[in-house]
Amino acid sequence: MLQKITRIATIVFLVVFVASCTHKKIAKMPTLTVKNHSFSNYDSVKLTHINLHLKVDFDKRILSGKAVLDIENTSACQYLILDTRQLNIEDVMLDDSVSAAWSLGEETPIVGRALVIALTKNTRKVAVYYSTRPDAEAIMWLNPEQTLGKKHPFMFTQSQAILARTWVPCMDVPAVRFTYSADIECDSKYLPLMSATNNFKRNTTGRYHFDMPQPIPSYLMALAVGNIEFQALSNNTGVFAEPEMLKKAANEFSELPVMVAAASKLYGEYAWGRYDILVLPPSFPFGGMENPRLTFATPTVIAGDKSLVSLVAHELAHSWSGNLVTNRTWEDFWLNEGFTVYFESRIMEAVYGKSYADMLMALSVGELNHTLETLMKEGPGDTKLKLNLKNRNPDDGVSDIAYVKGAMFLYYLESLYGRKVFDDFLNAYFSHFKWQTVTTEEFIAYFNSHMSKWPKIKPDLNAWIYDVGLPSTCPKIVSQELSRVEKMAELINTEKSLKALDTARFTTQHWLHLFRHLEADSIKNLMADMDKTYNLSASTNSEIQCDWYLLCISNQYTAADPYLEKYLMEVGRRKFLEPLYERLVETPEGKEKANKIFNKAYKGYHAVSRNTIKEILAKSSVK
Ligand SMILES: [Zn+2]
């Protein structure tokens, strides 16, 4: 019996193999060139819509089906060239009936492989039959143990920056916007969600339809499937999460409708219909992703006291900066992130007040100065807002420069023109470029023309955008709250006593600032007292935990060890794992602990985090 099955399987395999080898190939391949991290010929053929038909297979860890692309070939181009990477392309059909000639280009390390499809003059639809590979970089397949519920598997995609091509053959470049629809089939135990119109409840068929009627760039296509439930927060906002997390998440994000209203009041109507948040399992290695209509978020922002919701303000702000007005290339990334950090800060100010928003921004500037120090030594070119990413992975451009230097540039402009004038400019900018993409140079031209009414003001745009480092014109963000904390820390350090510590009105950010200003030598004997008084080791606030455990490691305060271990077992966000493992491997005892914990915890980490920690453990020279 077993043998017979094997033989049938072999025959089926051979038939499929022969079929896939006998498709008509392109007789003479066109010259393939990479422009803005894409092989696609988006200058010649217009992609207007993608319709996905995909089946989700948790056992094999693959998606399989077809992507039907609507195109406008007004220049009568002979070929359609798409981006793919790690995809198994099975066949290509034109206009539902005609078998197409197609070939794959050479595999390249960063941008993948071009899929070249011969077109006729009248081709309107191109259907690509394909499946993904289990190691597709955009897709994170989680074992049940990597989820909160521990019973069901979970999957989600992360397409930014150029990973959409590992699950959808497309023109994977932010310059191209298209609408999409999808028919997704999965086990009826699970609910699939997309960056599109979503269903709020599971059905018995496991088949779901999605529409994204507004044109988006490929990096905003997203899919998640798992044991997910929904709770509404208002008519047009709500939270999706594993059932174990749903109530907590809904409480934490209860002010979401207020944030949406505040954002709309600042820079124009919210353009995407609904705004929902999907809280992912703890192994999600990132903070959040602004997938339109449905932000993907880490559960580590659920602190219980709403103190980390600025992440939601950030992802919400992207509904304007990034999703509505999009950077044309990844070298213009600051147009997405700098605008978003500025906008995030304005939302926080509108909802929680100026002193809180200033405190958050001042903390970010502290981190920016740290990044600048490192980058000025290792690669000063990357401290420019306009990046040079030729032959590099766009992920190399992801740093505090695009985010915080970009935001400070906008604060600088605001300080020159005044808030009213600058807000008018931002409103005009979002309205002028909505549903479009924009380059740094187009931004400069638009800015200069819009602001020509104020000829006496001469902002130094070039210094900010094209020079390294931080210009001397950078405004100072003064946070009285943080200054208060610094004074306290100084007294604690000199007096070696906690007498000066006054935690009334302390938020998460006060604690973080305090921890970062305490000196290990001075507080060694105060650790137990602090822990006992403020219950820090047993905190459930991921940010406070991370910074407190760093202090514990530096001060060999071993009473916190069981809590630290539990934290490293449960949290998968790389931002927290990385500094803790780095601090641990500084001493032989710490390194032993780190190895022991990692051996137990690594199965619960996503590959992104797992690889980083493996590197930290391997490169540590401590014996
Ligand atoms: Zn962002």
Side-chain angles (χ1 to χ4, degrees), residues 290 314-315 318 337 340 403:
E290 65 269 24
H314 180 94
E315 305 309 334
H318 269 306
E337 295 301 343
T340 297
Y403 289 74

Side-chain angles (χ1 to χ4, degrees), residues 242-284:
E242 287 185 75
E244 295 79 3
M245 173 54 86
L246 189 60
K247 239 197 167 66
K248 254 172 135 180
N251 283 337
E252 198 79 11
F253 300 140
S254 64
E255 273 150 22
L256 189 56
V258 184
M259 280 191 180
V260 176
S264 308
K265 199 172 154 202
L266 279 167
Y267 301 125
E269 207 187 330
Y270 178 72
W272 304 87
R274 293 194 60 85
Y275 181 79
D276 296 315
I277 300 174
L278 167 64
V279 181
L280 289 159
S283 56
F284 183 47

